[in-house]
Amino acid sequence: MKQTRHPRRARLKTLLLSLALAAGAAGFGGQAQAADAAWPSRPIHVVVGYTPGGATDIVTRIIMEKLGARLKQTIIVENKPGANSQLSAAYVAKAEPDGYTFLSILPAYVINSHLYKISYDPANLVPVVHMADLPLFLFVSNAVPANNVKELVEYGRAHPDKLTFASSGTGSSAHMVGADFALRANMAMTHVPYKGSAPILTDLLGGQVSMVFDPILVPMQYVKQGKLKALALSHTSRWPTEPGIPTMEESGFPGFTTESWVGLLAPKGTPQAIVDRMASEITAIAKNDPDVRRKLMDQGLMPAGGTPAEFGELMRKDSEHYETIIKEAHITAQ
């Protein structure tokens, strides 16, 4: 028998279904908002791709200690070193984007994709905040007969391939800055990669390597003892505790402000409210907490801060800058 259609009943079913779907969507959105509002309800993990005691680790631990107190939650800093920070990046890129896993990085993160076949997609990590800058000083062995950058360049041009510059490894900030210096100065220098800072300092003091762009903390004591020379620093201004050391710009290299930095990333999909909260809290700590500023400055670090967009722009510009250096200096992975 043919069934009789009821238009009103059909329209009512459609309306009820639409209301149910809308209520479900609203409920889901409400749950997501509630989850964001309750964040953090459990410990946060911040992964560092280097061994304890390095610049990335120091910055992360100083800031996260204060951040944990502000968020009233435990923040666990985990060290996962390996492959110039690629292991840690791959780990966090695959983490749940729930606001409980973050990655602390150096410029090596943006350099790696230009040198190596990386095992993760950088698109799966998003910028959170620029935490600190790490100005690099040009430390030169006493075996090199130069007392300023001008004399160093003149010596290097007069003695092709005699000068060497050290770094903590291929693709490190020190490697990029040293290669950039050689390109801008139009002089040949040989890159000598090391595993760690300690052997660099030993060979620099012994004259086995000519120079290194390095943070101020450890080598400066040897400068004060007359065992090394500090000719300049790659920063926009002179360092507060060492006003007698000129910048690279003041030494005849306009625009030479390439330096290292430390920043924070999150897995793609992390709620924007959480990303923004992390950025604003860390910025407040970096800019306004005198204890944090003192601790960072004592380590040769300059507190930073800012928005996720600003940090993303810094990463983009540095990625382009380092890619240019790598191509012009014909740098390859070793």
Side-chain angles (χ1 to χ4, degrees):
M1 186 175 69
K2 185 178 180 180
Q3 292 183 344
T4 304
R5 292 185 178 181
H6 298 280
R8 289 184 180 177
R9 186 177 297 172
R11 285 197 297 272
L12 180 60
K13 282 185 177 181
T14 301
L15 176 62
L16 290 173
L17 178 59
S18 299
L19 290 172
L21 290 172
F28 179 80
Q31 290 173 4
Q33 291 177 357
D36 291 353
W39 178 90
S41 59
R42 54 188 171 87
I44 296 169
H45 292 251
V46 179
V47 179
V48 175
Y50 302 92
T51 54
T56 321
D57 184 70
I58 290 171
V59 172
T60 304
R61 291 182 186 277
I62 289 174
I63 289 181
M64 294 306 152
E65 180 182 4
K66 295 286 184 175
L67 180 62
R70 290 174 72 98
L71 297 179
K72 297 180 173 58
Q73 187 55 262
T74 300
I75 299 181
I76 300 169
V77 177
E78 301 178 61
N79 296 91
K80 292 184 178 294
N84 206 25
S85 79
Q86 292 184 63
L87 295 183
S88 61
Y91 174 83
V92 176
K94 297 173 184 176
E96 287 295 322
D98 52 11
Y100 290 93
T101 306
F102 295 88
L103 174 68
S104 190
I105 63 167
L106 285 175
Y109 172 80
V110 299
I111 295 169
N112 283 338
S113 60
H114 300 302
L115 283 176
Y116 305 99
K117 184 178 180 181
I118 56 178
S119 60
Y120 58 92
D121 185 354
N124 289 328
L125 291 162
V126 297
V128 178
V129 67
H130 174 197
M131 295 194 289
D133 284 315
L134 186 59
L136 300 177
F137 286 70
L138 174 54
F139 293 105
V140 177
S141 168
N142 283 346
V144 177
N147 294 309
N148 54 54
V149 175
K150 182 175 181 293
E151 291 179 357
L152 179 63
V153 171
E154 289 174 349
Y155 178 80
R157 289 174 178 171
H159 301 82
D161 297 318
K162 187 174 180 64
L163 293 179
T164 56
F165 71 99
S167 82
S168 55
T170 300
S172 64
S173 296
H175 181 192
M176 295 295 107
V177 178
D180 194 16
F181 176 46
L183 287 169
R184 296 190 190 210
N186 192 28
M187 63 179 182
M189 288 201 300
T190 301
H191 173 230
V192 183
Y194 287 78
K195 292 183 178 180
S197 297
I200 293 176
L201 186 59
T202 299
D203 283 0
L204 194 64
L205 290 168
Q208 284 78 36
V209 67
S210 305
M211 70 190 77
V212 66
F213 280 91
D214 207 38
I216 189 176
L217 186 60
V218 177
M220 188 55 69
Q221 59 184 303
Y222 295 98
V223 173
K224 295 184 182 301
Q225 295 172 14
K227 297 178 180 179
L228 283 180
K229 293 174 283 193
L231 303 189
L233 77 155
S234 182
H235 190 54
T236 54
S237 59
R238 298 192 181 200
W239 193 248
T241 61
E242 303 295 337
I245 300 175
T247 66
M248 288 295 292
E249 285 192 313
E250 292 173 323
S251 302
F253 289 81
F256 197 114
T257 57
T258 305
E259 58 191 3
S260 189
W261 43 255
V262 181
L264 200 68
L265 303 181
K268 181 182 179 181
T270 300
Q272 192 61 44
I274 292 177
V275 171
D276 291 341
R277 175 85 184 278
M278 285 287 282
S280 63
E281 294 284 0
I282 289 173
T283 297
I285 291 168
K287 292 184 178 296
N288 303 323
D289 190 309
D291 183 50
V292 167
R293 292 186 66 82
R294 178 185 57 78
K295 287 180 178 178
L296 291 177
M297 294 288 286
D298 286 349
Q299 297 288 332
L301 296 149
M302 184 71 72
T307 66
E310 288 170 338
F311 183 42
E313 181 63 9
L314 170 64
M315 292 173 61
R316 184 192 66 79
K317 287 182 177 180
D318 272 10
S319 178
E320 291 180 354
H321 177 55
Y322 291 128
E323 182 181 20
T324 299
I325 294 172
I326 288 168
K327 288 180 178 178
E328 292 184 357
H330 306 290
I331 296 171
T332 58
Q334 296 178 356

